[in-house]
Structures are given as C-alpha cells and as structure tokens.
Amino acid sequence: MNVRNGAKVVHGATIDGGFWKVYRETVAREGITYQWKALNDEIPDASPSGCMRNFRIASGREQGGHTGFVFQDSDAYKWLEAVAYCIRWKGDEAMEALADEAIETIAAAQQPDGYLDTYYIINGLEKRWTNLKNNHELYCAGHMIEAAVAYYQATGKRRLLDVALRFVDHINSVIGPEEGKLHGYPGHPVIEMALMRLYEVTGDEKHLRLAKYFVDQRGQEPLYFREEDKKRAEKNSWGTMEYYQAHKPVREQTEAVGHAVRAMYLYSGMADVARVTDDETLKAACVTLWNNTTRRRMYVTGAVGSTEYGEAFSFDDDLPNDTVYGETCAAIGLVFFARRMLQLRPSAEYADVMERALYNGVISGMDLDGKRFFYVNPLEVWPEACEKDPHKKHVVPQRQKWFGCACCPPNLFRLISSLEDYVAVEDDGTLYVNLYAKGTLNACSGALKFAVETDYPWDGAIRLNCLSDQPAEGVLALRVSGWCKKYTLCVNGEPVKAPMTDGYVRLKRAWKADDQVDLVFDMPVRYVRANPRVREDVGKVALMRGPLCYCLEQADNGDSLHLLKAVTNGETRIERADMLGGITLITAQGEKEVVSPEWNDTLYAEADAPATVPKTLTFIPYYAWANRGLGEMSVWVRS
Amino acid sequence: MNVRNGAKVVHGATIDGGFWKVYRETVAREGITYQWKALNDEIPDASPSGCMRNFRIASGREQGGHTGFVFQDSDAYKWLEAVAYCIRWKGDEAMEALADEAIETIAAAQQPDGYLDTYYIINGLEKRWTNLKNNHELYCAGHMIEAAVAYYQATGKRRLLDVALRFVDHINSVIGPEEGKLHGYPGHPVIEMALMRLYEVTGDEKHLRLAKYFVDQRGQEPLYFREEDKKRAEKNSWGTMEYYQAHKPVREQTEAVGHAVRAMYLYSGMADVARVTDDETLKAACVTLWNNTTRRRMYVTGAVGSTEYGEAFSFDDDLPNDTVYGETCAAIGLVFFARRMLQLRPSAEYADVMERALYNGVISGMDLDGKRFFYVNPLEVWPEACEKDPHKKHVVPQRQKWFGCACCPPNLFRLISSLEDYVAVEDDGTLYVNLYAKGTLNACSGALKFAVETDYPWDGAIRLNCLSDQPAEGVLALRVSGWCKKYTLCVNGEPVKAPMTDGYVRLKRAWKADDQVDLVFDMPVRYVRANPRVREDVGKVALMRGPLCYCLEQADNGDSLHLLKAVTNGETRIERADMLGGITLITAQGEKEVVSPEWNDTLYAEADAPATVPKTLTFIPYYAWANRGLGEMSVWVRS
C-alpha cells in the first residue's frame, strides 16, 4: 500500500476563550455529568438507558436482560470519548476516576475471544455477526475505538485501547477478504474513521487494511446485506441498499443518498482511507460526493437530510424548510467529512462548509444550558402545523430533555469538546488555519506557535501572536471565508500583500517571537439567496453575518412571520445584546403586509398586492432559536 | 315532525348544449360503457372488479368468493344511477336493457329478510351489522337507494325501488332508537341523502325518520363506534372518531374534520334533514360547518381535504398546494352540500362555491376523453418531487386508467349526468337560477319555462327566452356570481334595474311567451389572492376568468414554473383556442427570473434580487391540465 498522510490535524491547538469556551464549559459541566447519570439510570422520569447496567450484566456482575437499542453500548463510548477531550482540555481528576471505573466495567464484559457487544453477549453469542446490516456491532466497535484512542491520547492509559485492539483482532478473525470470513461491512459506518485513528496512533497497517476493506467492499456484488438477509431468511428486511449507501461500490457513487448520518460517516471514512492510501479514484469519489452534498443537498445552516423518510437525503435541490430532517448528528457528520476533505487538500471551500455547519446546524441541536436537544433542526416552524400536520410531526418545535435514541446529545458533546482538532491542519510546512477561536496553535512540527485572540464570530478581527521560542521558517495560511468580500492583513502593524490560493492568504516568513498578525474581516450583514433551482427558497433571502445564519423568531417579531418582507437595500443595525447567552442582535429594515378587515370572512378575492407598513425586523442567530418558549421561526424571509 | 320542504330542486331543467354537453356525452359514450365492462371484468390488464360477479355468487347463480372491497356493490349502484340520468336525458333502449338486466342480477341476491350486501352474503351473514364503522353496509344501501330512486324517476320502473324499500325495511328492523336495536349510524355517510330522496319520492315519513336518526345519533355518548369496537374485541381499530365525524353530536360540530368525502356527504344529509324538519339548530350547524369549510379549508379550485393522512381535512388555513389530497369525490361532495345549502336558503354564496368546485376541482378528476382519472387533484406539481418525495407519493402527476378503489370515476359520472338538477331551485314562486348552461328551465309549478342560450363559461352572455304557453306571474332570480363586478340586464332589449338580494338579481313580472332576458356578465381576467392567513399562497396570485381557475403548465411555459412571476397590472389577452377540447386560452404579461451562470456550482450566495426578463405567460383552464404528458403545473404564481 502506498501510504501518504496528507495534511495532518493540528492536535496541539487549544481553544480557551470566546464563543466556544462557553459551549465547552456547558458540555463539561452539564452535558457530561447529565449523560453519566443517564447511562446509569439515575435520571428520574427519563426512559431507562440501561447502558452501564448492560455491561455489568454482560460481565456477570449483575443479572437481567439487555436494555435499550442494539447500539446502546455506543452511548458509553461516546461519553468516554467526550470525557477524554475534557481531560485533555484541562484535566479533571474526579472525571478521570469515573472514566477509569467505566472502562473497568466495560473491560470486564469482554469475552475471551475479544468480542464485546452487550446486546449479543446477553442475548446469545450464537447470533453475533449475523446482522451487520442493522444490528450495529461494528458501529459500537467503532465508537469504542474512537473512545479508546481519545482516552489514550488524553491520559496515556492503555486499558481501553487494549480492549479495543483485542476486539479489532476478533473482528479481523471474523470479517475480511479471506475465504471463510464474512465479506461484510458495517450497516452504520463509523469504524472506518475509527480504524484510521487507531492506525494513526499504533502505526499498525492492519487497521488501515480493515478500514480500506470496509470501504472497498461496500456495494460489491453480490450485495452482502442481501445475502445476509437471505441467510437469516428475512423476507421483509428493512431498508433499501441506498439507505446504507451499499447500492454500488463507493467509487461509482455520485450522489449523496440514504440515511444522512450514515452517508456523512462513510464519506469521512472514505476520505481518510483515500488520503492515507493516496488513492486517486477514491479521492475523486469523495470530491464528487462532497460536491453533490454541498452544492445540491445542503441547507444554508449546514443541515443535511431533507426528509424524515429514512432520516435521509432526498434529491437534488429538494430542500424544504419545514419538513426537513436535518439531524444534528448529520450536521456533525458533515463537519467530520469537511475536516477530512481539508486533510486531502486544504481548501477554504471545505472549511467554509465546516464552519457553516458548526455555527448553525450543529449547535442548534442544543439549548444554551446544554440540557435540551434537537434531533431535527428545521429552518421554518409554524408550531400549529408541527402539532397538526403529520408531515411535520418529526419537527418538534422545542428542544427535548433526552431521547430514547440518544445519539445526538453525546455526539454534540464529543465534537464540541474536541473542537481544537478542527482548528487547523498542517501540510508540507504550511499551517492552514480553518477556524478562528481564542486559543493557541502549535504546528505539528512544533516550530510554529501562535496565540490567537479574537471575538469571532461576533467580530471579524483576529490577532495572532507568534509564540515560537526561536525563529521558525514556515507558511501561515489563513483562511479567508467565502463570505468575506474585504479584509485587511497586517504583520507587525504593517499592511502586507500576500498571495491567496485555495482561499487561504499565505504568509511565508521566518517567524519569531512576538511577530503579530492582524487579519480583519469586514463582517457586514449579508442577504443571502439560494440557488434558483431551490424552489422552497425562491423569492426569499436569509440574513447572515460572518459564519452565522440568522433567523426571525415570533418572540421578537410577532406571529405570522410569512407576512414579513426584508428590504434588502435598507438599513441594518448590529448590536451586542445580553440576551440568549450574549449575541449580536441584528435589526433590519423590513415590511409587514397589512391584513385588511375585508379578509375576515373571505378566503379568495380579486385583490391588489397587499399594502405594507414598515416594520423593523429583529434577527437572532439561528443556533439560539427556541430558547424563549414556543413560537414561529423562519430562516428564510421574503424579499 | 314539522315538515317543510324549503327550496325545491328544479328537476325539469335540461342541459343540451355547450360546455357540459360535451362532458355528458363523454360520460354516456365512454364512461358508462367502460365502467360496465369494468364491473363485469371485461377490461384486459385491469385489476378485477368482481362487482357483478359478486351479485351472481350472492344469489347462488355462480360459485366463488367475494372480490374487491367491502363496498364493491356500490360501484354497480353508482353505475345504475348514472345510467338512469342518461336515460332521463335522452333515452337509450340498449342501455336501459342492460340496466334492467343488472337490476335483475342485483334483485336476485336479495335475502328473504330484505338484506342485500354481497360481502356479507358471501362471507357469512352472521357477521352482518357488526362493523357499521368500517364495513360500508349502510353506504352500499345508500347508493342502492340513490340508484333506485333515479332509475324509477327516469323510467317509471319500480323493480330496484322495491328492492331498496325492502332493504330499508330490514335496516329499520335492525337499527334504530328502540330497545334491542343497534343505536348505530353509517361509517361512511350517503344513506342520509338517499333516504331523503326516498322520502321525497314515496312521501313515507319513516325514511325521513331514519335519516334524521342517523344524523342525530352520530356522536352521542357512548360513542357507537367505540362500543362496536369493544364488542368485536378489536384492539387496534382503525380510524379516529374525527375521521368519521362521530366525535361529537353534529349540532356541536364547528369545524370540518376527518375524511373529506365523509364530511361532505354527512353535511349534505344534515342539510336535507334540517330543511325538511325545519330544524333551526341543525340548520345553524350546517351554516357553521359550511363557513368553516369554505372560508378556512377550501382550495381556490373548490378542492377540499388538505392532507392524505385519512384523505382528510387538516386545520384552518392549512392549504398546501403540492401535498394536498383534494379527492375528486370530496369536491363532488362539496357540490352536493352546496346545492342543499341552496335549498335551505337560496344565496349566491352557496352557488358560487358549487360553481367553483364544478368547473375546477370536480372535472379536473377526468381527462378530456373520459378515460383517465385523478383521485388526488393537486394545485402544484413538480413531477420529480411526486416521484421521489414520499410526502407527495399520493400526488400522481398523470391521470390513471382506473382505480382499485374506483370511487371517483363513477361518482363523476353520476354528477355530470345529473347536472341539470343543480341548475336551479324554486321557492315560493321564485325561480333561482344557479348555473348557466344551454338548455331549458321548467319551474316545478310548470308555469314558468325558459330556454337558456349561452356559451358560458367562455362567455358571460346569457339569454333566456320565455317558453310559457300562457302568461305566468313569477320571479326569475338570476345569480350574479361573486366574481362578477359588472353586468347588464335587459328584458326584451330594454335595460332594466332590478333589485339584488342574496346575490340574485330578481325580475318579477307576468311572463309571457317570447319574453327575452339578456344577462351579460363582464368577464375579465382576474388575479385572485388568498387570504393572508394562507401561508402557502402568500405573495402569489391565481388567474381566473368567470368561474374558471387557470393554471400554468410546463407544456406552454417551459420548466421551472417557480421562476415565473405574474405582472398583475400588465396586459392579458384571451383567445378561443382549438386545443384541449376547445378552451379560452389566456396569455398574460409576466416575467421570468434569469438564472445567471454563477449559480452553476453555488448553492448559497450574497446576491441581488435576480434579474428578470419579460415573458408571456400562457394559462389554460385548470380542469384541462395533464392532458399533454408529464410536466410541471401550478395554479398559484408569484406576483
């Protein structure tokens, strides 16, 4: 195998202030604590998770049956992964002790042959590996690996890593290209990405080989999932092959289809494998799927998955705002995919989408207290319709405490608490900065170090102070967002002209301590339109500023948001406001259609265009919606 | 019971030319012949109906099981009813012979106790009357009565009428207020209207009493359908009480809910009973339900039923154009309801809705050849979405040959072939003309007779020539449509001023032969808007002329209809065109948004309002859409 690493993630970055710090603290303080209670069934009135109990039962320490979904184990792993990132961030002995205890509970359930999945251990091992399509053994294994690697990297402790390595050895003994093994692949991807991390941390190529096998084998005839269905004599097996992205070999796939989270996870794994194996056809497939995803099937908030049928992608340009699925996990998956595309080839195009998803469709999934969550992230809500229209019953207009299928909250936790891994990548001596957050950047080589000061995304000014102990040659490539039309760049107070390629402005110099870079993005309010192919958004605009997508809420604008119109050439005003955890509020010139009393009893009439009255429209960041009770919301407004 | 008849339907009217004659001939020539073959399983490749065979099996003339739905018998009755109207219209010995034969086949299946429902006769009589909620025995009985009365009125033959009377006697022995009888009512109304016709033709008050019982008993606690479910020990009984309009007593119902056809049929029966019993609370309930239906829950085409979930009404102002149900039968039901409201109190408001439904949402259900049919009548179609979006899978963008559940085509046949019964009503010496069609009007009293000449709806000129043999005192009340802003009225060539009340202009005189009335409606093209509460139509207009709603089709306007805009103060041009069976085509000034090449690879961008180019928009009558292959269609257009 021709192995090349591509751009490396800058794991040495930190985030220690500003916008994201609040989120990280909320996750560490509220989320992780709450979830630990949930995993241990210590939350009154919540449906029982049984997660940790399942491990105890599987290890014989407790009696009982399996509780929850077939993928219940993954909740513990996601929790551990988030815990690992919190510890990496700023240590926490109590949390680490808790995690060590959880790891022991997990390890105790591992079977002599390395197998570890409580669902099958409890319900009968003779049935394991018979339903890769729907029963999530490889998915749970993947999350175990992610947790194991993260925890090892954060604490140096190998306990869970060793458990994971034994489990992977077992998987390798059961699945693979050799005769007598199952020629299968996961019904829900994640292990592909996870194995690539395991390869990264161990250097053992067998992990790369298994990841590549899962990617390559998918969609090969005879279709494994069909064969598996036959073996189980399952007549009405649930799910189309498209749902699993298993309808054709991945290199022949050109459209983002099926379950959106599965798709994003698969494409992420493909990009990892393509990068490390320097596989041009696989890279090309990633680019094709990326383009289809982000140019035809993505919401302005970075949400993906247009339909609740299969929580799935639908078809090009089909982006309904009120019946969207837009699962939080799918937007998270898009962030995973984007970073891996950046590792294939640093280009601001990928970082733009990553940023779009992060600041909008990802964090909209959580309330400002970190206690309530959206699974579905709509762009338009009329609460009465959510209640009464079965087409919209999946669109819950207020965040919920926790879910029976609790995939989104812990996924949010692990992403938010590892966000420094998304800040920058390094390739060939160039440090590509993709996200701007207060903190530090340490290039992988260690030579280049910067402190980053910024109030982004509220303000477009970013200051980088070089922290390098000794002068270091290198290129600092600063992403200029696609939304930015104008910026200034100074080094040590002097304006500089620097070349711009692939959306990065590049500063090449021998950096020395206290070199100061000031990048200031002009950050005006923007009225954004959708491609005219998108029927749902025709004649409408969305208001954005910087990476943030804004929305209208009933709390600020009254009801009947559909009667409002933006005056796109009118004045707008920005204002830091204490509300909603501290936001930049935008007020803009608008109009409201006047409803004349003649309409009281009339449904249809010959009538002139309705009169309008001026009305100031108040926009809040989309992510902060639904924090003030039930009401209408809309991202898109008529213009 | 206080019996008063209210306004009488003018059964002596005829339609013998113009717009409706074509439809009637199509129905008589194509529809009825085709349906007879369908009922007799003589259509290759169609799913078997088994309808006539079921009767032969039930009478022991043939062996076998029951084929089709529990309401399969009703297909034969609807066919017979339409045949009766065709015979009344212009006789047809061959058709009458066929009908007599069918009636004998039906009569032979009647049980000694009068019962007649092939589903239970074949499957076991011991189960009859145990599932009024879903098994349609009373529905089939209702359609039998409708057919029996129509056939008796058309031919004077009592054979089927006697069968029906015996069946009704049987029903009276099983269901009713007396102890020991079932205190039930139909799961699908129609028998209420039918019994009122039976009462009208026989004068026997027991039919009125049973109709009134069905109306009054509905929704009384304990809810009969719930009790029935319990008796059958059915745990997951299908359907909510709202679906059946059985959730509360009818006089307490204020909103049109549930299955739209059931609702329209029930309200029609209620209006019949309210009129004849002079029941003020029931009349008030009819008015309330009428207002809710037509002012909050009706499409501009007269379609009703906003959702495919339960083929049902949804909630106020919820009128999506692309996921609408709008069943042809529901629009037909609205016509039934409207005429009965006219009989309660002649008012142009009711006739306006009747006309709206007839010319648009009813006849859109059939293609111009009478061979293909819509069950669902959307106001906006993007064929790709119908194919790929599960929310729109019920919206079939092209008419189909016949349906497994063949309720709509024969319902269309019986309405179209009896349309003269909707032309006028008479009350207290006033002849109220509600529809304008070439033909004759004979007031019930026989004294007033007019020949009607018109090319309506293509032209607004209507000429009535008095045919009375001898001078007759009377009021001719001519409806002025709600859409008409200007009209002229002449009697014998002289302009007259006549009082206008309830939307009728009234001419009182001693009419004599050759008196001539000329009513000319100004019939401009109108841009109509929906009530601003209707979110789906905000910022849009529908083009109408006279009673006809128009639409844009891809065949005339290219694809991407969402990029078109109407210039509502621009020029419009009308033109009689040979296409689509002969229509008035409307071209209007419009614009099309230009899609700039920058959008090729971009999904969202800061952009000015798109440039537009002038574009002539071509509108065809909505009823004629989908006669030229697959393509986009839209009634509402941005303005």
Side-chain angles (χ1 to χ4, degrees):
Chain A
M1 225 161 344
N2 178 13
V3 173
R4 181 193 171 276
N5 279 323
K8 278 191 174 168
V9 172
V10 173
H11 285 302
T14 64
I15 293 177
D16 56 23
F19 186 88
W20 289 111
K21 189 181 178 201
V22 178
Y23 271 96
R24 300 189 66 151
E25 283 174 343
T26 302
V27 165
R29 194 182 59 241
E30 301 292 342
I32 288 177
T33 313
Y34 188 92
Q35 199 197 345
W36 178 246
K37 286 185 189 159
L39 298 179
N40 287 281
D41 301 316
E42 291 166 9
I43 298 186
D45 308 329
S47 55
S49 156
C51 180
M52 295 312 297
R53 186 168 169 264
N54 288 340
F55 285 106
R56 289 192 298 273
I57 294 169
S59 66
R61 295 177 180 186
E62 223 175 291
Q63 296 299 308
H66 182 271
T67 303
F69 291 91
V70 289
F71 48 83
Q72 207 73 359
D73 292 0
S74 65
D75 281 358
Y77 303 138
K78 284 189 198 164
W79 178 81
L80 273 170
E81 189 185 345
V83 166
Y85 300 134
C86 289
I87 292 170
R88 179 180 69 175
W89 182 37
K90 51 178 190 179
D92 186 327
E93 283 181 22
M95 205 188 268
E96 193 170 326
L98 216 56
D100 287 337
E101 183 196 314
I103 289 168
E104 287 309 320
T105 304
I106 291 163
Q110 189 162 39
Q111 301 297 293
D113 63 2
Y115 185 82
L116 210 182
D117 186 295
T118 67
Y119 178 82
Y120 282 104
I121 296 173
I122 295 171
N123 289 322
L125 282 168
E126 71 285 359
K127 286 193 183 150
R128 62 183 176 174
W129 305 125
T130 59
N131 192 346
L132 299 191
K133 197 178 69 166
N134 286 327
N135 280 2
H136 288 75
E137 283 158 296
L138 291 173
Y139 173 79
C140 289
H143 276 297
M144 179 203 281
I145 297 166
E146 293 264 12
V149 172
Y151 200 72
Y152 168 69
Q153 287 176 325
T155 65
K157 294 179 181 171
R158 291 190 58 98
R159 183 72 167 121
L160 189 59
L161 188 67
D162 288 335
V163 170
L165 286 167
R166 277 197 302 277
F167 194 7
V168 172
D169 283 343
H170 172 77
I171 292 169
N172 268 310
S173 76
V174 174
I175 303 174
E178 297 84 4
E179 207 171 333
K181 292 186 181 176
L182 303 173
H183 305 320
Y185 37 87
H188 195 313
V190 79
I191 195 169
E192 299 83 347
M193 285 187 270
L195 286 166
M196 294 306 291
R197 288 187 74 178
L198 197 57
Y199 165 63
E200 183 190 355
V201 79
T202 62
D204 188 339
E205 279 203 12
K206 73 179 172 198
H207 305 309
L208 168 58
R209 276 197 302 273
L210 184 57
K212 180 171 156 53
Y213 178 72
F214 285 146
V215 165
D216 289 346
Q217 181 60 11
R218 187 168 281 267
Q220 300 293 347
E221 293 286 352
L223 291 177
Y224 182 79
F225 291 157
R226 290 244 172 81
E227 299 299 305
E228 198 187 53
D229 281 352
K230 280 186 217 158
K231 272 198 218 159
R232 286 198 317 278
E234 207 163 312
K235 282 221 176 87
N236 295 307
S237 177
W238 191 86
T240 63
M241 290 302 113
E242 282 78 10
Y243 175 87
Y244 303 97
Q245 297 84 38
H247 53 304
K248 40 173 114 159
V250 294
R251 288 170 185 76
E252 294 169 27
Q253 297 190 23
T254 56
E255 294 186 325
V257 298
H259 186 259
V261 180
R262 283 175 167 79
M264 293 297 102
Y265 282 25
L266 173 64
Y267 307 160
S268 298
M270 285 164 60
D272 275 341
V273 171
R275 169 174 50 87
V276 173
T277 59
D278 213 11
D279 179 329
E280 292 303 332
T281 58
L282 193 56
K283 283 183 193 172
C286 289
V287 169
T288 300
L289 290 166
W290 171 268
N291 288 345
N292 182 255
T293 301
T294 61
R295 296 179 186 178
R296 306 301 293 266
R297 303 184 181 206
M298 177 186 74
Y299 287 86
V300 70
T301 58
V304 287
S306 294
T307 175
E308 95 267 22
Y309 286 86
E311 308 174 332
F313 284 99
S314 57
F315 52 101
D316 282 350
D317 313 318
D318 178 50
L319 294 160
N321 295 302
D322 55 351
T323 58
V324 49
Y325 205 73
E327 186 177 335
T328 306
C329 284
I332 291 171
L334 181 56
V335 172
F336 295 162
F337 186 21
R339 196 197 64 190
R340 284 157 177 85
M341 291 305 288
L342 284 166
Q343 289 178 259
L344 271 186
R345 183 175 76 82
S347 166
E349 161 187 11
Y350 304 125
D352 281 354
V353 170
M354 183 167 81
E355 189 179 62
R356 184 190 290 277
L358 270 177
Y359 280 101
N360 303 292
V362 168
I363 54 173
S364 60
M366 191 165 90
D367 74 354
L368 300 170
D369 298 328
K371 291 181 177 167
R372 290 176 179 267
F373 305 89
F374 277 137
Y375 205 95
V376 166
N377 294 276
L379 283 79
E380 181 183 322
V381 160
W382 176 24
E384 188 178 3
C386 296
E387 184 195 335
K388 296 179 180 171
D389 180 353
H391 281 312
K392 294 172 188 143
K393 66 180 186 302
H394 62 288
V395 181
V396 183
Q398 290 197 287
R399 293 181 185 82
Q400 304 297 301
K401 269 175 95 167
W402 199 257
F403 302 99
C405 171
C407 63
C408 296
N411 220 0
L412 267 171
F413 300 164
R414 71 187 186 115
L415 174 62
I416 288 171
S417 55
S418 64
L419 208 62
E420 56 269 46
D421 295 343
Y422 296 80
V423 165
V425 296
E426 190 186 3
D427 193 23
D428 267 343
T430 300
L431 181 63
Y432 295 90
V433 186
N434 293 310
L435 296 180
Y436 297 106
K438 182 171 157 53
T440 57
L441 291 168
N442 297 333
C444 309
S445 61
L448 280 179
K449 287 185 189 173
F450 294 93
V452 184
E453 281 290 335
T454 183
D455 194 23
Y456 198 87
W458 307 121
D459 187 272
I462 298 129
R463 168 166 292 178
L464 296 97
N465 283 304
C466 185
L467 300 176
S468 303
D469 304 326
Q470 47 196 23
E473 184 84 18
V475 181
L476 182 66
L478 300 169
R479 179 175 70 99
V480 178
S481 291
W483 53 259
C484 177
K485 293 267 185 358
K486 215 171 99 185
Y487 64 91
T488 58
L489 180 65
C490 294
V491 177
N492 298 326
E494 294 297 318
V496 293
K497 288 210 169 170
M500 165 102 114
T501 49
D502 292 332
Y504 295 90
V505 59
R506 289 160 198 259
L507 293 168
K508 182 177 182 179
R509 54 190 282 144
W511 296 94
K512 57 181 197 307
D514 297 330
D515 273 350
Q516 191 173 73
V517 178
D518 281 293
L519 176 63
V520 181
F521 295 128
D522 197 17
M523 203 183 256
V525 171
R526 313 188 313 279
Y527 284 107
V528 167
R529 290 178 190 272
N531 190 303
R533 288 185 297 246
V534 181
R535 288 163 195 248
E536 300 281 346
D537 300 334
V538 75
K540 295 180 178 176
V541 292
L543 187 141
M544 298 191 75
R545 180 169 178 267
L548 291 170
C549 188
Y550 277 70
C551 71
L552 295 168
E553 267 204 316
Q554 183 172 339
D556 304 303
N557 301 284
D559 65 6
S560 298
L561 297 182
H562 66 290
L563 296 180
L564 301 181
K565 294 172 90 166
V567 176
T568 55
N569 57 358
E571 274 184 19
T572 59
R573 194 162 156 267
I574 65 171
E575 175 194 350
R576 288 307 295 266
D578 232 6
M579 59 197 282
L580 294 168
I583 59 165
T584 295
L585 194 74
I586 302 181
T587 48
Q589 199 177 325
E591 294 175 342
K592 183 164 186 171
E593 288 184 5
V594 178
V595 179
S596 74
E598 286 82 57
W599 282 113
N600 279 355
D601 286 335
T602 306
L603 189 44
Y604 303 104
E606 198 178 348
D608 292 331
T612 58
V613 290
K615 167 147 177 116
T616 299
L617 307 183
T618 300
F619 291 86
I620 62 160
Y622 170 74
Y623 74 79
W625 87 277
N627 276 285
R628 294 174 294 173
L630 196 65
E632 293 179 32
M633 183 277 290
S634 189
V635 168
W636 293 98
V637 56
R638 291 159 62 209
S639 75
Chain B
M1 226 159 344
N2 179 16
V3 173
R4 182 195 171 275
N5 278 322
K8 278 193 176 167
V9 172
V10 173
H11 286 301
T14 65
I15 294 178
D16 56 23
F19 185 88
W20 291 109
K21 192 183 176 199
V22 178
Y23 271 95
R24 300 190 66 152
E25 282 174 343
T26 302
V27 165
R29 192 182 59 241
E30 301 292 342
I32 289 177
T33 313
Y34 188 92
Q35 198 197 345
W36 178 245
K37 286 186 189 157
L39 298 179
N40 287 282
D41 300 316
E42 290 165 10
I43 298 186
D45 309 328
S47 54
S49 156
C51 180
M52 295 312 296
R53 186 167 170 266
N54 287 340
F55 284 105
R56 289 193 297 274
I57 294 169
S59 66
R61 296 177 179 185
E62 220 175 293
Q63 296 299 308
H66 182 271
T67 303
F69 290 91
V70 288
F71 49 83
Q72 207 72 359
D73 292 1
S74 65
D75 281 358
Y77 302 138
K78 284 188 198 163
W79 178 81
L80 274 169
E81 188 184 346
V83 165
Y85 300 134
C86 289
I87 292 170
R88 180 180 68 177
W89 182 37
K90 50 179 189 179
D92 186 325
E93 282 180 25
M95 205 188 267
E96 193 169 328
L98 215 57
D100 287 339
E101 182 196 315
I103 289 167
E104 288 309 321
T105 305
I106 291 163
Q110 189 162 38
Q111 301 299 292
D113 63 1
Y115 185 82
L116 209 180
D117 186 296
T118 67
Y119 178 81
Y120 282 104
I121 296 173
I122 295 172
N123 289 322
L125 282 169
E126 71 286 358
K127 285 192 184 151
R128 63 183 175 172
W129 306 124
T130 59
N131 192 346
L132 300 191
K133 197 178 69 167
N134 286 327
N135 280 3
H136 289 75
E137 282 158 297
L138 292 172
Y139 173 80
C140 289
H143 276 297
M144 179 203 283
I145 297 165
E146 293 265 13
V149 172
Y151 200 71
Y152 169 69
Q153 288 176 327
T155 65
K157 295 178 181 171
R158 291 190 57 99
R159 183 71 168 121
L160 188 59
L161 188 67
D162 289 334
V163 170
L165 287 167
R166 278 197 301 278
F167 194 8
V168 172
D169 283 344
H170 172 76
I171 293 168
N172 268 310
S173 76
V174 174
I175 303 174
E178 297 84 3
E179 208 171 330
K181 292 187 182 175
L182 303 173
H183 306 321
Y185 38 86
H188 195 313
V190 80
I191 195 169
E192 299 84 346
M193 285 186 270
L195 286 166
M196 293 306 291
R197 290 187 73 177
L198 197 57
Y199 165 63
E200 183 191 353
V201 79
T202 63
D204 189 340
E205 281 203 11
K206 73 179 172 195
H207 305 308
L208 168 58
R209 277 196 302 273
L210 184 56
K212 180 171 156 55
Y213 178 73
F214 285 145
V215 165
D216 290 347
Q217 181 60 11
R218 186 168 281 268
Q220 301 293 345
E221 293 286 352
L223 291 178
Y224 182 78
F225 291 158
R226 289 244 172 80
E227 299 300 304
E228 198 188 53
D229 281 352
K230 279 185 218 159
K231 271 196 219 158
R232 286 198 317 279
E234 206 164 312
K235 281 224 177 84
N236 296 308
S237 176
W238 192 84
T240 63
M241 289 303 112
E242 283 77 11
Y243 175 87
Y244 303 97
Q245 297 84 37
H247 53 303
K248 40 173 112 160
V250 294
R251 287 169 185 77
E252 295 169 27
Q253 297 190 21
T254 56
E255 294 186 326
V257 297
H259 186 259
V261 179
R262 282 174 168 80
M264 293 298 101
Y265 281 26
L266 172 64
Y267 307 161
S268 298
M270 284 164 62
D272 275 341
V273 171
R275 169 175 50 87
V276 173
T277 61
D278 212 12
D279 180 330
E280 291 303 330
T281 58
L282 193 55
K283 284 184 193 173
C286 290
V287 169
T288 300
L289 290 167
W290 172 269
N291 289 344
N292 182 255
T293 301
T294 61
R295 296 178 186 178
R296 306 301 293 268
R297 303 183 180 205
M298 177 186 74
Y299 287 85
V300 70
T301 57
V304 287
S306 294
T307 175
E308 95 267 23
Y309 286 85
E311 308 174 333
F313 284 100
S314 57
F315 51 100
D316 282 351
D317 313 318
D318 178 49
L319 294 160
N321 295 302
D322 54 351
T323 58
V324 51
Y325 204 73
E327 186 178 335
T328 306
C329 283
I332 290 171
L334 181 57
V335 171
F336 295 161
F337 187 20
R339 197 198 62 191
R340 283 158 178 85
M341 291 305 286
L342 285 166
Q343 289 177 260
L344 273 185
R345 183 175 76 84
S347 165
E349 159 187 12
Y350 305 125
D352 282 353
V353 169
M354 183 167 81
E355 189 179 60
R356 184 190 289 278
L358 270 176
Y359 281 101
N360 303 291
V362 167
I363 53 172
S364 59
M366 191 166 89
D367 73 354
L368 300 170
D369 298 328
K371 290 181 178 168
R372 290 176 179 267
F373 305 89
F374 276 136
Y375 206 94
V376 166
N377 293 276
L379 283 80
E380 180 184 323
V381 160
W382 176 23
E384 187 179 3
C386 296
E387 183 195 336
K388 296 179 180 173
D389 181 353
H391 281 314
K392 293 172 189 145
K393 65 179 187 302
H394 61 289
V395 181
V396 183
Q398 290 196 287
R399 292 182 185 82
Q400 305 297 303
K401 267 175 95 166
W402 200 256
F403 303 99
C405 172
C407 63
C408 297
N411 220 1
L412 268 170
F413 300 163
R414 71 187 186 113
L415 174 62
I416 289 171
S417 56
S418 64
L419 208 62
E420 56 269 46
D421 295 344
Y422 297 79
V423 164
V425 296
E426 190 186 5
D427 193 22
D428 267 345
T430 300
L431 181 62
Y432 295 90
V433 186
N434 293 311
L435 297 179
Y436 297 105
K438 181 171 157 53
T440 58
L441 290 168
N442 297 334
C444 310
S445 61
L448 280 178
K449 287 185 188 173
F450 295 93
V452 183
E453 282 290 336
T454 184
D455 193 24
Y456 197 88
W458 308 120
D459 187 273
I462 298 128
R463 169 166 291 178
L464 296 96
N465 282 303
C466 186
L467 300 175
S468 302
D469 304 325
Q470 47 195 25
E473 184 83 20
V475 181
L476 182 65
L478 300 169
R479 179 176 70 98
V480 178
S481 290
W483 53 260
C484 178
K485 292 266 181 4
K486 214 170 97 185
Y487 64 91
T488 58
L489 181 65
C490 294
V491 177
N492 297 327
E494 295 296 317
V496 294
K497 286 208 168 167
M500 164 100 115
T501 50
D502 292 332
Y504 295 90
V505 60
R506 288 159 199 260
L507 293 168
K508 184 177 180 179
R509 55 189 282 141
W511 297 95
K512 57 179 197 310
D514 297 331
D515 273 350
Q516 191 173 69
V517 178
D518 283 293
L519 176 62
V520 181
F521 296 128
D522 197 18
M523 203 182 254
V525 171
R526 312 187 315 278
Y527 285 107
V528 167
R529 290 178 191 270
N531 189 303
R533 287 185 298 247
V534 181
R535 289 164 195 249
E536 301 280 345
D537 300 335
V538 75
K540 295 179 178 175
V541 291
L543 187 141
M544 299 191 74
R545 180 170 177 268
L548 291 170
C549 189
Y550 277 70
C551 69
L552 294 168
E553 266 203 317
Q554 183 172 339
D556 303 304
N557 300 285
D559 64 6
S560 298
L561 297 182
H562 65 291
L563 297 180
L564 300 181
K565 293 172 91 167
V567 176
T568 55
N569 57 357
E571 272 184 23
T572 59
R573 194 162 155 269
I574 64 171
E575 175 194 350
R576 287 307 295 268
D578 231 6
M579 59 197 283
L580 294 167
I583 59 165
T584 295
L585 194 74
I586 302 181
T587 47
Q589 198 179 325
E591 295 174 342
K592 184 163 187 174
E593 289 183 5
V594 178
V595 179
S596 73
E598 286 83 53
W599 282 112
N600 279 356
D601 286 335
T602 305
L603 189 45
Y604 303 105
E606 198 177 350
D608 291 330
T612 57
V613 289
K615 165 146 179 118
T616 300
L617 307 184
T618 301
F619 292 86
I620 62 160
Y622 169 73
Y623 74 80
W625 86 278
N627 277 285
R628 295 174 293 173
L630 196 65
E632 293 180 33
M633 182 277 290
S634 189
V635 168
W636 293 97
V637 56
R638 292 158 62 210
S639 76

